Amino acid sequence: MDLAIELVVAIVVGVLVLVAGGVALLRGGRPRGGIDEEFRTELRDQQPTSPPSVAVPPDELEGAEPPLAVDLADPDLADPDLVSTDLVAPAEAPAPAADVEAPPEAPRLTTTERFRARLGRSRAGLGLAMSTIFRRGLDEQAWEELEESLIAADVGVEATMELVEGLRDRARAEGIRTGEGALALVKEVLRLELGVADRRLHRRAEGTSTWLVTGVNGTGKTTSIGKIAARLTAQGDTVVLAAADTFRAAAAEQLEAWGQRAGARVVRAGEGADPAAVAFDGYQAAKAAGADLLIVDTAGRLQNKTALMDELSKVKRVLERDAGPTDEVLLVLDATTGQNGLAQARAFLDAVDVTGVVLTKLDGTSKGGIVIAIQRQLGIPVKLVGLGETIDDLAEFDPDAFVEALFGGGEGSGATAVGDS
Amino acid sequence: MFDALSDRLESAFARFRGKGALTEQQVEDGLREIRLALLEADVNFRVVRTFVGRIRERAVGAEVSAALDPGQQLVKIVHEELVRILGEASAPLDLGSRSPAVVMLAGLQGSGKTTAAGKLAALLKKRGRSVLLVAGDLVRPAAVRQLQVLGERVGVPVYAPVTTGDPVQVARDALHEARRLGAGVVIVDTAGRTTVDEEMMQQAVDIKAAVNPVETLFVIDAMIGQEAVTVAKAFQEAVDFTGVILSKLDGDARGGAALSVAEVTGRPIKFASVGEKLDEFEAFHPDRMAGRILGMGDVLTLIEKAEEVYTEDQAQDLQSKFLSAEFTLEDFLSQMQQVKKMGPLQGLLGMIPGMGRALKDVDLDDAQLKPVEAIIQSMTTQERRDPKILNGKRKKRIARGSGRSAQEVNELLRNFEQMRQLMKSMGGAKGLKGLRGMDPQALMAGGAPDLSALTGAGPRLPVGAGAPAGPGGPDRQLNKRVPARKKKKRR
């Protein structure tokens, strides 16, 4: 027993109480909480007594059911190797099989091609490429500029310092003196680091798999779910979506709109319902319908809000009570996010054991470099990438293309904004 | 958790303390720490470069080297410069004299435009303006519905004639609708866009041309990284915004983007969105933001966390208990549980200025609270209220009941008594008065209560050493700003 733990608590309590009391006085006894807070608290306390309604518009049912029948009838399509396209690898299927077999939608670009094309779009016209840094040779300034370009891509100070230090040692040991050699080395190191992860999206060999989608506000959770659902239903999977974001105004409507586009059924409840209950009912509905996959949408929450993070843990717990371990817990991360992305990943990992990152909005000029730190420090790999606004702008993460893009631009983008000192 | 800049500078200068003026090398070391702190806070690296250049100029002058405490002096300069760039004072919304006055919102996807539109409407309504919200985001599914729901909650009309189609036409028609309704302010929500999508950027330009807004507000997420500069520049070129709304500031991002945007666009940050509730939207405070970027504790977050857990009555009740030393083991147990609700202990301590460093090497795990709880829970109510009645027999019983040793029970009791003394001195009459008038901004700006005396009594304190807390407590220099603070409440 740590002798001083009482003292520590005392300090915190003391400071908190004094501070809170002081502020309460300052505010002149403002009534606690706004309407929304009361509303929300009330709703949180509400137990899952009233089952949420399962809204299935008839046209949606028509859209979803027939392919299911076809799938089950057709032994070829039911074969896990065939069903697994580049997007989803079932738990049992060996990964390479998917590459060998021709995917059902042959004319579509491969995700890698799409990935590169999209990144190329954002890179076009950004001016100087990173490779100019090393043109002169491998002097001190070149290393500094390399550091700077990694920082500019949101890789983060700490990760950058570690990376560059390791690179310097290797360059020295391997006798690399040219800039090009060093740049190739940088890329190789990053590719290797990112390359080791398991990026498959896990599903059960049989029964209804469950995926939970989480993240802070505004990262694109609902949109990503819509895109994932569209991909999977196009493959012939039956997907059910649970609208467990019962907080944000019209979040369920947004998911429903995506469900309609994707041909996936949406289970929802009224605004303010218990999200855990919605997830639970979603699973019941998915199981009853013999669906292949349930995807649970959750409300955006900032990771420092303890109560909301607890709520999320509860959603997962309640879901797993009946459904067993969640097959994927995805953290949706906005590519423009800076160093806070690491704190987000850490908090969501603690709360719900995140298994993969969906990196969204990579179609802008942002590089999403924070995912390097996230994988280095927490071991969470990026599994999917959002590249645009249309329903099929979702791709697998391609480390090679990502690393290329990391050094592809940015130098010119900020150059006109702030003059160098 | 990042160390506060002041701590880092202090350690950078520590080696040279007492040797008079700073050498060039020391200044460079200090500047390096400043650079790293700003980069960690997501300030754009080019902005950091120019910023540090400016600090260097001032630092090599007599200003710093002659100071008694060069580290503190340097922090002061950095803080001043930050405030200067972020704006000396909060910039108000300028709605002009035209009616209806149009306010247009623009920004990246997911930055929080629709929510900001609702919050701004609530704020203006509270100020007695009649507001019309316009649903101009016809891209994101259900964005129109979201605005309608927000409008209902705020109690302002929402003009949403279509859910798909031409937002420029919607914006134009909205002006007629506003005149028809007699609305004095029109807030136009627009679709989120990426800067590389020229078509979408052009659409924003067209909407602006159609409604001629008196204020065009650029909404940006406080969590954004290095790209803040590129994005802000692109939106400035396209819609030439007049002000900025910094959203999601209730997260724990340091928010260096605010500095980047202010520096490269020269436009003021007018509002900060600080919570999910509709009234959690306030004027932007440059000095508070400066403290936050520098990581100078985070008293405000701590206050907010405390407010989530404590009601005002509870807080005042506790205060009086501290003062009269009526604080019992029973209270202690319930407080411990309350504190746990606020998050990990280590994180909470890091938010108290000066505390993070003092306890840097202490690995605090909330599991350490368990044995303490167990011991107290094994006591009867009477024993909790009056530990003096605890004799050897009772202690033995408690030890057995909690599965701890009798020594541990004794230690707990000793520590508790010590803690009670400590609290009394913290909340002593003088200190309490000071805290009552405390200005959270002053705390953020570096006028933080010096809690070092308290941390002296922190972990690993030999039992019985006595709590050295005294006049060095939180009562220092806090009374000055009371009147001003009382006038403008935070919300």
Side-chain angles (χ1 to χ4, degrees), chain A residues 3 10 16 19 25 27 32 40 148 154 217 271 303-305 336 338-340 361 365 389, chain B residues 42 49 109 153 223 225-227 248 250 252 276 303 305 307 342 411-412 415 419 436 490:
Chain A
L3 289 184
L16 283 178
V19 165
L25 285 171
R27 292 187 182 176
R32 309 288 317 159
R40 202 166 178 170
E148 225 161 47
D154 287 321
N217 314 62
E271 212 167 276
Q303 75 278 7
N304 59 340
K305 309 230 157 156
T336 58
Q339 298 313 296
N340 194 245
K361 308 180 201 174
T365 45
E389 291 162 33
Chain B
D42 285 325
R49 207 187 287 161
Q109 295 143 339
R153 281 191 200 158
M223 295 180 281
Q226 296 284 318
E227 280 300 293
K248 304 178 206 171
D250 48 330
D252 56 9
E276 293 188 338
I303 292 170
K305 277 181 180 291
E307 282 183 334
M342 277 183 271
E411 273 161 16
L412 176 94
N415 284 337
M419 181 205 89
R436 274 194 178 147
R490 260 179 81 220

Side-chain angles (χ1 to χ4, degrees), chain A residues 1-37 39-40 44 121-122 126 147-149 151-154 157-158 161 216-219 223 247-251 253-255 257-258 261 271 300-308 310 334 336-341 343-344 361 363-367 389 410-421, chain B residues 32 35-36 39-40 42 45-47 49-50 108-110 139-142 145-146 149-150 153 194-197 223-227 229-230 233 248 250-253 264 275-279 299 302-303 305-307 310-312 315-316 318-319 322 332 335-336 339 341-343 345 348-349 352 355 364-365 368-369 371-372 375 404 408 411-412 415 418-419 422-423 426-427 432 435-436 438 440 451 454 457-461 463 485-486 489-491:
Chain A
M1 183 169 106
D2 193 321
L3 289 184
I5 193 95
E6 298 89 345
L7 290 172
V8 173
V9 174
I11 292 164
V12 174
V13 172
V15 171
L16 283 178
V17 170
L18 294 171
V19 165
V23 170
L25 285 171
L26 276 176
R27 292 187 182 176
R30 177 177 63 92
R32 309 288 317 159
I35 296 162
D36 281 34
E37 185 181 62
F39 184 56
R40 202 166 178 170
R44 284 224 169 83
R121 185 175 78 170
S122 72
L126 282 179
E147 258 179 36
E148 225 161 47
S149 67
I151 286 168
D154 287 321
V157 175
E158 207 184 311
M161 299 289 185
V216 300
N217 314 62
T219 54
T223 306
F247 180 71
R248 183 165 58 90
E253 277 97 333
Q254 189 183 347
L255 191 69
W258 278 111
R261 288 185 204 176
E271 212 167 276
R301 61 200 79 222
L302 296 175
Q303 75 278 7
N304 59 340
K305 309 230 157 156
T306 321
L308 295 182
D310 288 349
D334 187 326
T336 58
T337 310
Q339 298 313 296
N340 194 245
Q344 288 172 26
K361 308 180 201 174
D363 51 330
T365 45
S366 293
K367 305 286 194 298
E389 291 162 33
E411 264 303 293
S413 59
T416 49
V418 191
D420 293 359
S421 61
Chain B
R32 186 188 139 79
R35 179 174 166 265
L36 291 178
L39 286 173
E40 280 170 358
D42 285 325
F45 75 101
R46 288 176 192 279
V47 175
R49 207 187 287 161
T50 43
L108 293 178
Q109 295 143 339
V139 177
R140 181 161 59 91
R145 178 84 195 114
Q146 187 185 350
V149 173
L150 290 172
R153 281 191 200 158
T194 59
T195 54
V196 291
D197 191 334
M223 295 180 281
I224 193 171
Q226 296 284 318
E227 280 300 293
V229 161
T230 319
K233 270 306 231 193
K248 304 178 206 171
D250 48 330
D252 56 9
V264 299
E276 293 188 338
K277 285 174 248 156
L278 282 169
D279 62 346
V299 181
L302 195 62
I303 292 170
K305 277 181 180 291
E307 282 183 334
Y310 293 99
T311 67
E312 197 178 324
Q316 278 176 359
L318 274 168
Q319 270 187 339
F322 285 159
F332 179 57
Q335 286 326 300
M336 227 158 43
V339 166
K341 279 190 215 158
M342 277 183 271
L345 218 45
L348 292 177
L349 282 173
I352 303 172
M355 202 65 85
L364 267 181
D365 186 343
Q368 290 170 285
L369 295 173
V372 179
I375 292 174
R404 318 301 307 184
E408 282 174 315
E411 273 161 16
L412 176 94
N415 284 337
Q418 202 176 318
M419 181 205 89
L422 175 66
M423 281 192 165
M426 272 174 80
L432 185 67
L435 278 158
R436 274 194 178 147
M438 186 175 63
L451 293 166
L454 292 176
R460 317 277 171 225
L461 181 80
V463 174
R485 192 63 207 151
K486 271 194 172 150
K489 288 170 197 158
R490 260 179 81 220
R491 280 164 212 157

Side-chain angles (χ1 to χ4, degrees), chain B residues 162-464:
Chain B
V162 290
T163 52
T164 54
D166 179 16
V168 183
Q169 190 58 43
V170 171
R172 203 175 288 131
D173 294 346
L175 297 186
H176 299 294
E177 179 71 6
R179 284 191 200 102
R180 195 179 68 78
L181 293 171
V185 187
V186 175
I187 301 173
V188 184
D189 184 24
T190 65
R193 54 205 85 228
T194 59
T195 54
V196 291
D197 191 334
E198 280 167 30
E199 205 179 304
M200 287 292 283
M201 287 304 271
Q202 185 56 44
Q203 191 192 66
V205 176
D206 293 343
I207 294 175
K208 182 172 179 183
V211 296
N212 189 23
V214 59
E215 285 267 17
T216 305
L217 299 176
F218 169 58
V219 184
I220 189 165
D221 189 325
M223 295 180 281
I224 193 171
Q226 296 284 318
E227 280 300 293
V229 161
T230 319
V231 173
K233 270 306 231 193
F235 275 91
Q236 190 178 28
E237 273 162 30
V239 296
D240 192 22
F241 54 82
T242 53
V244 179
I245 295 176
L246 197 61
S247 66
K248 304 178 206 171
L249 203 54
D250 48 330
D252 56 9
R254 298 266 291 280
L259 186 71
S260 303
V261 172
E263 168 87 16
V264 299
T265 67
R267 294 287 182 268
I269 299 167
K270 298 202 166 182
F271 295 101
S273 193
V274 293
E276 293 188 338
K277 285 174 248 156
L278 282 169
D279 62 346
E280 288 175 324
F281 189 72
E282 58 186 36
F284 176 75
H285 300 293
D287 48 353
R288 202 190 282 181
M289 192 69 215
R292 178 172 176 145
I293 291 173
L294 294 178
M296 295 166 127
D298 196 355
V299 181
L300 285 170
T301 308
L302 195 62
I303 292 170
E304 273 154 16
K305 277 181 180 291
E307 282 183 334
E308 281 171 25
V309 172
Y310 293 99
T311 67
E312 197 178 324
D313 290 346
Q314 281 175 329
Q316 278 176 359
D317 188 39
L318 274 168
Q319 270 187 339
S320 59
K321 275 184 175 163
F322 285 159
L323 285 177
S324 53
E326 272 172 19
F327 196 76
T328 65
L329 278 164
E330 203 173 21
D331 297 320
F332 179 57
L333 184 65
S334 76
Q335 286 326 300
M336 227 158 43
Q337 269 140 9
Q338 294 283 69
V339 166
K340 275 203 291 191
K341 279 190 215 158
M342 277 183 271
L345 218 45
Q346 185 113 44
L348 292 177
L349 282 173
M351 291 176 198
I352 303 172
M355 202 65 85
R357 177 171 44 113
L359 302 178
K360 197 185 286 173
D361 303 322
V362 182
D363 194 20
L364 267 181
D365 186 343
D366 285 14
Q368 290 170 285
L369 295 173
K370 282 257 161 60
V372 179
E373 279 173 5
I375 292 174
I376 302 177
Q377 274 159 352
S378 298
M379 296 178 186
T380 65
T381 313
Q382 204 190 354
E383 285 164 353
R384 290 182 206 179
R385 285 186 188 152
D386 186 11
K388 279 193 222 81
I389 64 168
L390 286 171
N391 55 25
K393 205 175 148 199
R394 282 174 187 264
K395 282 179 188 167
K396 226 183 249 168
R397 192 204 77 237
I398 291 163
R400 255 203 325 276
S402 59
R404 318 301 307 184
S405 68
Q407 275 151 315
E408 282 174 315
V409 176
N410 276 328
E411 273 161 16
L412 176 94
L413 292 171
R414 264 203 302 268
N415 284 337
F416 177 71
E417 192 44 48
Q418 202 176 318
M419 181 205 89
R420 198 146 65 160
Q421 298 304 321
L422 175 66
M423 281 192 165
K424 236 173 107 180
S425 60
M426 272 174 80
K430 211 173 141 203
L432 185 67
K433 213 165 126 204
L435 278 158
R436 274 194 178 147
M438 186 175 63
D439 180 353
Q441 289 188 39
L443 278 177
M444 294 303 288
D450 180 7
L451 293 166
S452 52
L454 292 176
T455 50
R460 317 277 171 225
L461 181 80
V463 174

